[in-house]
Amino acid sequence: MPFGFGDQRNAEQCKRSICVNNPYLDSMKEDILYHLNLDTSSHDLPKEFGDVKFVCVGGSPWRMKAFTEYIAKELGMADPNGEYPNICEGTDRYAMYKVGPVLSVSHGMGIPSISIMLHELIKLLHHARCTDVTIMRIGTSGGIGLQPGTVVVTRQSVDSLFLPRFEQLVLGKTVVRNTELDVELAEELLQCGKELAEFQTVSGNTMCTLDFYEGQARLDGAFCSYTEEEKQNYLSEAYAAGVRNIEMESSVFAAMCKLSNIRAAVVCVTLLDRQKGDQLTSSHDILHSYQQRPQTLVGYYIKKKLDALKRN
């Protein structure tokens, strides 16, 4: 690796803090987090964000605002006027909300969108001198062999060949990065699911794809070059490899959090069983209730952790 910035060396240097793995940041007079509408010159990032311990990220701005309102009530920090300002106001790329030590950020859809957000979020946490941060992605997914509404806590993010890796092109060369997630955190979330007992929570591998249609073996896209039998065979192979759901962000999320020495988890609800169909036919109300389940689980986990810290 260039500059001698090996992963192991950096991990030793910052066991509790955020690793940015970029020697050029220290020489910059100002760092502009363009897509978050933040910067290091006009914002006191340590003052504004230094107390952050939990970051929850998800696809849509609406969903992350809903999570903010939910966690604020759970933590007894609800605004009496119901006002939760968007910290990223002024940009239409992402939305960010903060309630006490909890940061809520939208990331859009797909690997490129979440990758951009994570680069700037990780730098934000680094500039704010945050320590002991846990990041959790909440979202929706297509299940494999699971009842709709099942919440999957990801054990490993795998690619379309069912391998735990993320391939990043850097200077025209392929760099393969590890997609392991924090095992202890996953187990804690599964335990929280048992304690809640409001819906089924399972662990499994999550397949991360580059698109929503052909990459996920759907039959309902504009193009389809395979048969239904081939689709079913592929999904059966995925299930045999431990895959229980499919989405489009977990691989780069896991890889970047691991490089940054951040505890991370992926918690997604399944909206349908892909072995039984490709299109969503459930009512809006049912889908909305499913989408609330990851935030319920993660919110319970955060409250449990913060309550434990208060007792200690």
Side-chain angles (χ1 to χ4, degrees), residues 15-271:
K15 287 184 177 180
R16 297 179 60 221
S17 58
I18 309 299
C19 297
V20 290
N21 291 291
N22 183 355
Y24 291 111
L25 287 181
D26 291 336
S27 63
M28 293 170 57
K29 293 182 179 180
E30 178 186 18
D31 190 3
I32 299 173
L33 310 179
Y34 174 73
H35 301 88
L36 300 181
N37 198 34
L38 294 168
D39 61 71
T40 56
S41 61
S42 62
H43 293 265
D44 187 341
L45 298 182
K47 182 179 180 180
E48 294 180 39
F49 300 97
D51 63 337
V52 170
K53 296 298 180 184
F54 301 96
V55 183
C56 188
V57 303
S60 75
W62 174 86
R63 193 179 301 158
M64 300 323 296
K65 185 175 183 180
F67 175 78
T68 299
E69 295 168 348
Y70 175 79
I71 197 64
K73 291 178 182 177
E74 290 294 300
L75 300 181
M77 297 180 179
D79 185 281
N81 299 317
E83 295 181 1
Y84 301 94
N86 177 10
I87 297 171
C88 295
E89 188 176 11
T91 175
D92 59 357
R93 297 298 183 184
Y94 305 105
M96 178 186 293
Y97 306 92
K98 186 177 183 297
V99 175
V102 182
L103 198 63
S104 175
V105 193
S106 69
H107 59 60
M109 183 180 290
I111 286 173
S113 184
I114 191 174
S115 171
I116 294 167
M117 186 280 290
L118 284 172
H119 270 283
E120 298 186 14
L121 173 63
I122 290 166
K123 290 197 297 176
L124 168 63
L125 298 173
H126 168 72
H127 292 311
R129 297 194 285 275
C130 295
T131 58
D132 299 319
V133 176
T134 297
I135 299 184
M136 291 168 282
R137 166 171 141 67
I138 61 173
T140 59
S141 63
I144 302 181
L146 297 176
Q147 286 292 324
T150 301
V151 173
V152 179
V153 178
T154 302
R155 184 167 57 242
Q156 283 185 323
S157 175
V158 300
D159 63 14
S160 296
L161 297 176
F162 320 134
L163 298 174
R165 64 185 183 184
F166 171 67
E167 294 187 352
Q168 173 76 55
L169 281 173
V170 180
L171 303 181
K173 299 179 181 178
T174 300
V175 176
V176 179
R177 291 174 174 164
N178 189 289
T179 56
E180 290 179 0
L181 290 156
D182 191 283
V183 176
E184 182 180 356
L185 176 57
E187 289 299 324
E188 291 175 359
L189 287 164
L190 286 170
Q191 179 59 35
C192 287
K194 293 178 183 178
E195 294 171 11
L196 279 170
E198 296 180 11
F199 40 79
Q200 185 178 21
T201 304
V202 302
S203 67
N205 293 342
T206 296
M207 183 165 71
C208 183
T209 64
L210 298 179
D211 73 295
F212 187 79
Y213 287 99
E214 291 180 287
Q216 297 188 17
R218 276 185 157 83
L219 302 175
D220 60 342
F223 312 104
C224 183
S225 59
Y226 41 85
T227 66
E228 182 171 4
E229 181 181 5
E230 289 173 322
K231 166 204 164 174
Q232 293 295 347
N233 288 340
Y234 180 68
L235 294 181
S236 294
E237 290 174 8
Y239 187 89
V243 176
R244 294 296 176 268
N245 63 333
I246 309 172
E247 47 85 270
M248 296 188 293
E249 293 87 18
S250 61
S251 62
V252 70
F253 173 81
M256 292 181 71
C257 288
K258 186 173 181 63
L259 282 174
S260 304
N261 195 41
I262 303 174
R263 295 182 81 215
V266 177
V267 181
C268 289
V269 67
T270 60
L271 299 183

Side-chain angles (χ1 to χ4, degrees), residues 284-308:
H284 173 79
D285 289 342
I286 290 176
L287 292 176
H288 180 69
S289 70
Y290 288 167
Q291 291 175 18
Q292 290 180 314
R293 293 180 178 183
Q295 80 169 16
T296 299
L297 177 59
V298 168
Y300 180 88
Y301 168 81
I302 291 174
K303 186 175 187 299
K304 183 179 178 180
K305 282 292 185 181
L306 291 176
D307 287 345

